[in-house]
Amino acid sequence: LDRAIETVNLGIDGFLTKPFDNTEIREKIREFVLKKRLKQFVPAQVLQEMQQKRSLLVPQKQTVSVLFTDIRGFAEITSSLAAQEIADLLNKYYFLPLDRIVFEFNGTLDKHIGDSIMAIFGAPLSVGDDALRAVACAVKMRETMVGINNILNEMNVRKIPIGIGIATGEAMVGIFGSPIKKEYTVLGTTVNIASRLERIALEDQILVCDQTFQSIRHAFKTRMLDHVSLKGISGEKSVYDVIEAI
């Protein structure tokens, strides 16, 4: 009800000059809820296009690139810090700068999971270079954290080492959940592979699956690792370490 009232108030001038239209009110409420739900997760230009193509939010299968980044040794880094110090460190020197980079490369900021960041490239909008943007985003994240860690070192604060995993493949995308809580996200094996790659990545390492590698091999220098077994994923996988842009 509060949302409905707020929505009507925002557009009250328009309603005062024309006949009362319940359909129009419902549409304004729907638009308001859509903006509120998604504006924190997608760049403004992506949100604008989504408003014009509502079908993008309907659960569907499509190819995406999923990125996970996580702090290496987080428990040890924060063991001597107070709760507010941990919050300040994460928010200012980790979540904020890396979230901005996701938006810079037109990615969808899916969620924060503890000290992990999950981002999607190719959903809700795909422009054909999703894997390239995901890896370019990861490389800039790594470069940004080098600069941030230099600042932290000057402040006598322990650095924030990160590892990144990226996987490309088919996934189920859309809004999932219950009337209590819903969110736009992706589900499936591709997500699991990206998560597993992030878990085995060393400090400052960006690991990608074979399908991601095939899409970015012309743009980034990589090093193939021995076939790797990923927990919960059947069979050995070809994994590549992203070194730098060509």
Side-chain angles (χ1 to χ4, degrees):
L1 179 58
D2 290 338
R3 289 180 178 178
I5 292 172
E6 183 177 356
T7 304
V8 173
N9 287 339
L10 288 173
I12 194 68
D13 291 339
F15 288 113
L16 291 176
T17 59
K18 54 192 173 185
F20 183 83
D21 187 345
N22 192 48
T23 301
E24 187 171 352
I25 291 179
R26 286 199 301 268
E27 182 60 29
K28 277 186 171 289
I29 293 173
R30 182 181 179 185
E31 180 179 343
F32 173 78
V33 173
L34 177 67
K35 284 184 178 180
K36 183 173 182 180
R37 181 176 294 163
L38 295 174
K39 68 180 180 180
Q40 290 183 307
F41 308 112
V42 297
Q45 62 269 28
V46 175
L47 178 59
Q48 183 177 5
E49 188 162 350
M50 288 172 64
Q51 289 180 268
Q52 299 171 357
K53 300 178 181 178
R54 299 290 177 82
S55 60
L56 292 171
L57 298 179
V58 177
Q60 56 191 298
K61 288 183 177 181
Q62 64 188 73
T63 298
V64 296
S65 291
V66 181
L67 178 154
F68 280 92
T69 180
D70 186 82
I71 298 174
R72 311 291 84 161
F74 176 73
E76 182 181 354
I77 292 171
T78 59
S79 60
S80 61
L81 300 178
Q84 189 58 54
E85 291 176 320
I86 295 171
D88 293 342
L89 180 68
L90 289 178
N91 294 340
K92 183 175 181 179
Y93 296 106
Y94 178 65
F95 287 128
L96 179 59
L98 298 196
D99 288 353
R100 283 175 171 168
I101 294 172
V102 172
F103 274 27
E104 179 182 340
F105 288 89
N106 279 344
T108 298
L109 182 60
D110 188 301
K111 60 175 68 72
H112 294 159
I113 312 169
D115 59 304
S116 294
I117 298 172
M118 176 182 174
I120 313 164
F121 296 83
L125 292 176
S126 175
V127 291
D129 64 345
D130 308 313
L132 271 173
R133 286 186 293 111
V135 174
C137 175
V139 170
K140 183 159 187 180
M141 284 179 166
R142 179 168 63 186
E143 293 171 348
T144 297
M145 290 309 301
V146 170
I148 288 174
N149 284 328
N150 287 336
I151 294 173
L152 293 177
N153 182 60
E154 293 175 359
M155 297 166 55
N156 291 320
V157 177
R158 292 189 61 171
K159 67 178 182 178
I160 304 175
I162 65 169
I164 301 175
I166 300 172
T168 301
E170 188 177 75
M172 180 68 73
V173 305
I175 294 178
F176 301 94
S178 71
I180 299 174
K181 177 176 173 57
K182 292 183 180 181
E183 62 181 3
Y184 184 88
T185 189
V186 294
L187 308 172
T189 302
T190 299
V191 179
N192 296 336
I193 292 175
S195 177
R196 300 300 188 273
L197 290 173
E198 173 267 303
R199 290 184 186 181
I200 66 172
L202 303 176
E203 178 180 338
D204 293 335
Q205 195 171 42
I206 301 169
L207 298 184
V208 303
C209 71
D210 184 68
Q211 189 166 339
T212 303
F213 165 74
Q214 298 301 331
S215 298
I216 61 102
R217 60 190 304 174
H218 64 286
F220 292 90
K221 180 181 178 181
T222 61
R223 177 176 65 91
M224 183 178 178
L225 306 183
D226 291 335
H227 289 282
V228 177
S229 295
L230 302 176
K231 184 177 180 180
I233 307 296
S234 61
E236 290 188 334
K237 303 295 180 183
S238 296
V239 175
Y240 298 82
D241 182 8
V242 178
I243 308 301
E244 60 187 1
I246 296 177

